[in-house]
Amino acid sequence: MNQTKKILVYSGCIAFTVLGVWLLTAEAPTAMYPLWKTRLAGILSIIFFGGGGLFMACKMVKLRINHKKEIEFTDRGISICGAREIPWNEIAGFALIRFKGNRLITIQMKDPEKVIENEPSWIKRKTMEYNLKTINAIYSFPACMMDGRAEEALALCRLNLAEHQCHNR
């Protein structure tokens, strides 16, 4: 994500977490909602927004500690947010799509069903199956995770793939 979006997301997480604390510590019920509903809304706000913000911050800190980027091209493959590398020899190509208002770069795999089948985590398998049905790719990332315009990010992905396909021949 670019810096402006990151700041907005973190600010929203902080604001909703503070709102959750305020709702949780409210002494009197509001005219519209009983005290238990107000407290429940506070707890859910803290868990969802506080937890989500903390999770995102921890991922970013982990990337920084390990000197990694959100999208990293290596000799072996592409890594998204420090996750396991997707090998170049399994990638068929990249595409730029618009999905629910976001511009995504999708990673087309040569044999997506085999990749899904070999995934040990059932949660990841279900996510991959859903992605394959909805966006026709098991892996994707927001184009804004890379510097520059979406088309430039796509061109960089394709260039890296072409370079690594040439080296493997």
Side-chain angles (χ1 to χ4, degrees):
M1 268 192 252
N2 65 32
Q3 289 301 99
T4 304
K5 286 185 181 180
K6 283 181 188 175
I7 291 169
L8 288 173
V9 168
Y10 286 123
S11 298
C13 286
I14 291 168
F16 278 100
T17 303
V18 169
L19 174 66
V21 170
W22 179 75
L23 290 172
L24 190 60
T25 59
E27 291 297 321
T30 63
M32 293 180 65
Y33 302 105
L35 191 56
W36 73 269
K37 283 186 178 180
T38 305
R39 292 223 167 116
L40 180 61
I43 290 168
L44 292 174
S45 181
I46 292 168
I47 290 171
F48 183 75
F49 292 103
L54 188 60
F55 177 76
M56 290 186 313
C58 286
K59 278 190 102 163
M60 295 312 304
V61 168
K62 184 179 174 187
L63 286 173
R64 300 278 186 266
I65 288 172
N66 294 323
H67 306 289
K68 297 202 177 257
K69 299 176 185 172
E70 290 178 299
I71 305 298
E72 192 157 30
F73 301 108
T74 69
D75 290 337
R76 295 175 307 283
I78 181 172
S79 177
I80 304 168
C81 293
R84 182 177 65 214
E85 286 180 333
I86 304 164
W88 292 118
N89 63 352
E90 294 181 16
I91 299 174
F94 294 91
L96 182 62
I97 66 166
R98 186 171 291 280
F99 183 72
K100 295 187 179 183
N102 294 310
R103 298 190 78 187
L104 299 177
I105 294 178
T106 61
I107 304 172
Q108 273 71 50
M109 304 300 290
K110 291 177 181 173
D111 191 356
E113 288 81 12
K114 181 182 174 190
V115 175
I116 293 171
E117 183 182 302
N118 291 333
E119 175 55 52
S121 166
W122 70 270
I123 293 174
K124 288 182 182 177
R125 270 195 316 274
K126 291 297 178 192
T127 304
M128 290 172 165
E129 289 169 357
Y130 173 78
N131 286 347
L132 192 56
K133 278 189 237 175
T134 56
I135 62 172
N136 199 31
I138 58 175
Y139 300 115
S140 66
F141 57 91
C144 63
M145 285 178 78
M146 295 179 68
D147 294 332
R149 293 181 15 252
E151 291 77 10
E152 294 167 346
L154 176 63
L156 183 61
C157 290
R158 288 178 171 165
L159 177 67
N160 273 277
L161 178 61
E163 285 176 6
H164 290 91
Q165 285 177 336
C166 287
H167 289 137
N168 293 334
R169 289 184 182 168

